[in-house]
Amino acid sequence: KGLADIARRDDVRKRSAQLWEALGEPGLVLLGVDRLDYTKGILHRLRAYGELVAAGRLGPRPVLIQVASPSRERVEAYQTLRDEVEVMVGRINGEHGEVGYSPVHYLHQSYPREEMAALYLAAEVMLVTPLRDGMNLVAKEFVAARDDEQGVLILSQFTGAARELSESLIVNPYDIEQSAAAMHLALTMSPEEQRARMRSMRTLVQEFNVFRWAGRMLLDAARMRHRRRVQSRARAARRRAGTG
């Protein structure tokens, strides 16, 4: 089944409510879901979030849930990244946490689709801020799951999805201040504006599904091959004209 169907199940909605309660009924829930990879911008995201928490700009008791699926665990560079992420998470929690409350919940593991759907429903802000990426289906999964038409998507300009999901808050993830400003804007966005933006994105996701996306990629590839053939023939014709 698709993510939208899973998210509508009663057991998944119940699990979402349980997650929210387990977080201590936080003031704001932000969610990041990535492979543990340098391209995903996790360190940049944590830095922006940490600055907002330190300045109190996300209100009382915000929580960032960062799911980082294991990736290339035996490669030294990725072990180093894991250490850097854990150190930053520890610093934010150490400086701003208290008994019964942690600003960051770091989950270094993969989860089944039902748990992911529950997380999407529990989140009020979805952070998809890689430094470079392809289409990024996580952004579309979040939108597909939110049939309540609530929630804010913050999306890196370097994802393919940014061209389609223009009602998200689009940021340059290298710009820490811009990312922080987008998180603060998400906090203050009215339910009416959230609904209008999410409704528009959900319509696009429903109409432009993975099959249409794949079809467009194949069509673009065919056009590119045709363009190259035309250019090759033109160059050959110029060479013949020059020697004739």
Side-chain angles (χ1 to χ4, degrees), residues 144-158:
R146 297 308 296 254
D147 65 351
D148 61 351
E149 297 181 342
Q150 291 296 293
V152 179
L153 173 62
I154 298 178
L155 189 56
S156 166
Q157 68 185 61
F158 302 119

Side-chain angles (χ1 to χ4, degrees), residues 22-30 49 52-54 58-64 92-105:
L23 294 171
E25 300 185 357
L28 179 69
V29 179
L30 305 95
Y49 173 74
L52 285 175
V53 172
L58 291 179
R61 297 172 69 89
V63 170
L64 168 61
I92 294 172
N93 285 338
E95 293 176 355
H96 306 293
E98 57 189 59
V99 175
Y101 166 66
S102 297
V104 183
H105 289 251

Side-chain angles (χ1 to χ4, degrees), residues 210-229:
V210 67
F211 300 106
R212 291 192 180 184
W213 176 75
R216 191 181 74 175
M217 293 300 101
L218 291 172
L219 182 60
D220 288 348
R223 288 172 175 166
M224 186 174 295
R225 288 194 298 270
H226 176 70
R227 188 179 304 115
R228 288 173 178 170
R229 285 196 296 268

Side-chain angles (χ1 to χ4, degrees), residues 58-181:
L58 291 179
R61 297 172 69 89
V63 170
L64 168 61
I65 303 172
Q66 176 60 61
V67 179
S69 303
S71 174
R72 305 180 187 180
E73 291 283 271
R74 297 183 181 180
V75 178
E76 184 176 353
Y78 288 84
Q79 295 172 357
T80 300
L81 173 61
R82 179 177 177 177
D83 292 342
E84 291 174 345
V85 169
E86 290 177 354
V87 166
M88 189 172 292
V89 168
R91 183 163 62 246
I92 294 172
N93 285 338
E95 293 176 355
H96 306 293
E98 57 189 59
V99 175
Y101 166 66
S102 297
V104 183
H105 289 251
Y106 174 63
L107 308 172
H108 183 56
Q109 54 187 295
S110 300
Y111 289 94
R113 287 169 66 78
E114 289 79 7
E115 188 74 358
M116 292 310 306
L119 284 167
Y120 291 143
L121 291 172
E124 293 159 278
V125 180
M126 184 76 213
L127 302 169
V128 183
T129 55
L131 305 180
R132 66 175 186 270
D133 210 347
M135 176 54 63
N136 196 297
L137 295 180
V138 167
K140 292 192 172 184
E141 285 184 346
F142 174 70
V143 171
R146 297 308 296 254
D147 65 351
D148 61 351
E149 297 181 342
Q150 291 296 293
V152 179
L153 173 62
I154 298 178
L155 189 56
S156 166
Q157 68 185 61
F158 302 119
T159 65
R163 291 181 296 175
E164 300 173 12
L165 302 178
S166 58
E167 293 298 327
S168 61
L169 301 182
I170 298 176
V171 300
N172 179 343
Y174 290 98
D175 189 333
I176 301 300
E177 291 184 4
Q178 187 182 84
S179 296

Side-chain angles (χ1 to χ4, degrees), residues 16-33:
S16 177
Q18 291 173 343
L19 288 170
W20 191 78
E21 291 174 3
L23 294 171
E25 300 185 357
L28 179 69
V29 179
L30 305 95
L31 174 65
V33 177

